[in-house]
Amino acid sequence: MSILEKKDRFEVKEESLTRAELVRKASLSLTEIIKEKSLIILPSHGTVDEFYAGSLDTLDYLNDNDVDAEIYSTDEDYKELSLHGADIWLGTFFVSSIILPILTNLISSYIYDKLKAQKEDGISLKLIIERESGSTVSISFDGKVEKLDKVFTAIKELENEV
Amino acid sequence: MKFELTTLEHTKNPEIKWVLSELEKVKEQAVVAGDEERANNCWRESEALQLTLIYIEALHKIKRREYREAWYDLERCEIKCQFVLRNSSEEFCLNKNIYFISHQVSNLQSLYPYCVFSSPGMVVGYYSCGICDHKIRPRSRCSHVKGKIYNGKLCVHVAHDIELKEISIVSKPAQKYSVVHNDETLDFSVLEHLMAILEEAFEEWDVIRTTRKFPIDMFSRVELDSDCPCKGGIKFGQCCSKKAEVEIPHLDFVFRRDIPNLPGVRFPY
């Protein structure tokens, strides 16, 4: 394996981040924006206020597909982190369990139809799924698009659980 | 006006420069007259003509072993193809060889030995629309769609307040120009092999990726601690060194015409 080839990473674990925590950390105006949203796009891994390039395209796609989605940032504070590798940095999504039944179709059609991703392309995404009880569980994936099935299987299992 | 444009000699025709300049003038007049369709048609014709010129030049640069310069041209072709394809009819793309160029650019790029690139990571404060200058925010957009043409102008998003964060080394870059190799240390013989046969830019050819077995004796120069020629990902000594034959990746070039005096199979070790 070349030193430039990353190893795949797939992890499902209990999370501490909750909707209440997101609201607590948000400004008053942001609290209003994210209130009762089914899906919230969070800042990129390891940052507090930078979103992956293309996050607004993702937001538009979600809203065009009847998902009540928002970005965890005010218009004034929004910045993008532009990583120029060809990998797809999809980002971190806080997802209400209400949309679990449509989530797999939504993600796969966005990746294959909209982004025209090939099976060999690298992709990074994290889903933080909010159960009805308010507790959360995360699905993290870094690897090739062709192995995204692991994420879809995990979503299905959570759908059966919640 | 009609003129032939398939060889390097044809690209020197002074009428081409005149046509490009006329297309620009007609486009400007169409914009003033509010004729968006005419302006967009001028954009398409101009882009397709420029694309053909760059593609022919790229191919001849490869023939002259100016590999890096050709690589930059191929990337320019790739980007132009992407936008022309998005904004043109299937008929237009067929007539102007856009599908052909797009396919062959990808083929040629895949034959290069480049595999390490630099990649800048940066924070962008905001983007503005290249058509109307609207400041794009999460809850504030204009009606223009990135990558589409409006009045003969391509809509791009312009980045502002850029802060460079890091430079990474990547194997799959978004911008292919950022090669970090020294060409003198690389093996371009696959391209050389192809160019020995290819005569014209628009000659039909393709590449088929397969494997081929060679007797172990032919690998006597491969060190046991080198990567295995089979590309299985482990060292030769732990992989194929004790086999009677080693199966290695192989490229077959196919052409529509008969090739007299076919060169022999090129063995890379």
Side-chain angles (χ1 to χ4, degrees), chain A residues 60 73 75 78 80 82 86, chain B residues 122 124 137 139 141 172 174:
Chain A
D60 289 345
S73 174
D75 279 1
Y78 181 78
E80 279 192 3
S82 184
Chain B
M122 57 189 83
V124 178
R137 307 308 293 155
R139 291 151 209 105
R141 313 293 168 81
K172 287 175 78 177

Side-chain angles (χ1 to χ4, degrees), chain A residues 23-34:
Chain A
V23 169
R24 192 183 63 79
K25 286 180 179 171
S27 63
L28 198 60
S29 54
L30 184 56
T31 305
E32 279 303 307
I33 290 167
I34 60 167

Side-chain angles (χ1 to χ4, degrees), chain B residues 65-68 113-114 179-189:
Chain B
R65 300 181 187 178
E66 295 166 13
Y67 297 115
R68 185 66 65 94
Y114 298 152
V179 180
V180 298
H181 297 280
N182 174 357
D183 283 6
E184 287 172 16
T185 64
L186 297 175
D187 177 8
F188 292 93
S189 56

Side-chain angles (χ1 to χ4, degrees), chain B residues 127-187:
Chain B
Y127 289 93
S128 63
C129 171
I131 301 291
C132 68
D133 214 24
H134 182 87
K135 188 174 177 179
I136 295 152
R137 307 308 293 155
R139 291 151 209 105
S140 176
R141 313 293 168 81
C142 60
S143 60
H144 302 113
V145 178
K146 196 167 49 176
K148 289 197 76 176
I149 46 170
Y150 298 90
N151 268 321
K153 189 178 176 188
L154 182 69
C155 177
V156 292
H157 283 181
V158 183
H160 300 267
D161 297 345
I162 298 168
E163 184 192 338
L164 185 66
K165 296 287 267 192
E166 37 92 17
I167 304 271
S168 300
I169 298 297
V170 299
S171 54
K172 287 175 78 177
Q175 285 106 5
K176 295 191 173 79
Y177 64 81
S178 58
V179 180
V180 298
H181 297 280
N182 174 357
D183 283 6
E184 287 172 16
T185 64
L186 297 175
D187 177 8

